Amino acid sequence: MLRNTLAALFLTASASAFAADTPPANKYVDATDWPVSEAGMDRFFEAEARLNAAFDKVCGDTFCEGDFANLRPLQLRCSIDATKGTFKQCLWAFAGSHATVNPKSGAVQVTAKTFKCKLLLAKDTPAEAFYELTKGDDPLHAKLPMASVSIYDGLPGCIN
């Protein structure tokens, strides 16, 4: 009887110690890992592709007229508060370059630049609402959920 009691206490103590050593789950996760690891990949990459296509449609008449006529979206990355299912932050990276040929030497000279643009998300924007916005006809100009601005509204101050 004493042996069984001691064994039970040992197992309980060991389980408690193991549980205490287990780190808590991360509060913030990549949007591709919400609601669980890799579960949001298809949905997020579809949203990114729609935003990239919308940017390509307006680029020639707006951002792509200056020094960086070949401006391209590189990557959209967002963090989600896993406990609430809301966005914390999204950054959209762009790159562009300008190349010239030196007429005397024939050397090609390139000026390249990257831009990191923060989406003007309202605090605690629900992930579901954001994804619905990106499914619309014009996700770049649609008002962001719980906000009076669009994704487009944040780009001119970032891409210059």
Side-chain angles (χ1 to χ4, degrees):
M1 174 92 174
L2 180 60
R3 187 182 313 172
N4 289 342
T5 303
L6 288 175
L9 284 172
F10 177 74
L11 289 174
T12 304
S14 296
S16 297
F18 179 77
D21 290 341
T22 303
N26 292 329
K27 180 174 181 176
Y28 297 104
V29 297
D30 188 297
T32 61
D33 292 327
W34 184 81
V36 294
S37 182
E38 297 185 1
M41 289 179 76
D42 290 341
R43 191 174 196 191
F44 184 80
F45 292 140
E46 180 181 328
E48 180 183 29
R50 288 176 180 271
L51 289 170
N52 288 347
F55 180 83
D56 288 343
K57 286 181 184 177
V58 301
C59 187
D61 296 331
T62 56
F63 307 108
C64 299
E65 290 184 332
D67 290 337
F68 304 107
N70 64 349
L71 192 63
R72 298 285 184 265
L74 295 177
Q75 182 179 34
L76 176 67
R77 187 58 71 213
C78 299
S79 62
I80 290 184
D81 182 329
T83 63
K84 298 179 188 177
T86 58
F87 280 91
K88 172 68 176 172
Q89 182 181 53
C90 289
L91 289 178
W92 199 3
F94 296 86
S97 64
H98 175 73
T100 58
V101 173
N102 182 313
K104 292 181 181 180
S105 68
V108 177
Q109 299 164 330
V110 176
T111 302
K113 189 170 181 181
T114 59
F115 305 89
K116 296 181 294 185
C117 301
K118 187 175 178 181
L119 272 56
L120 304 175
L121 297 170
K123 182 179 180 183
D124 294 328
T125 297
E128 297 301 327
F130 177 82
Y131 286 128
E132 282 303 312
L133 171 127
T134 62
K135 291 179 183 176
D137 292 334
D138 190 2
L140 200 58
H141 290 95
K143 297 294 182 211
L144 286 161
M146 304 168 34
S148 60
V149 295
S150 67
I151 293 171
Y152 180 89
D153 292 332
L155 297 179
C158 174
I159 302 172
N160 48 25

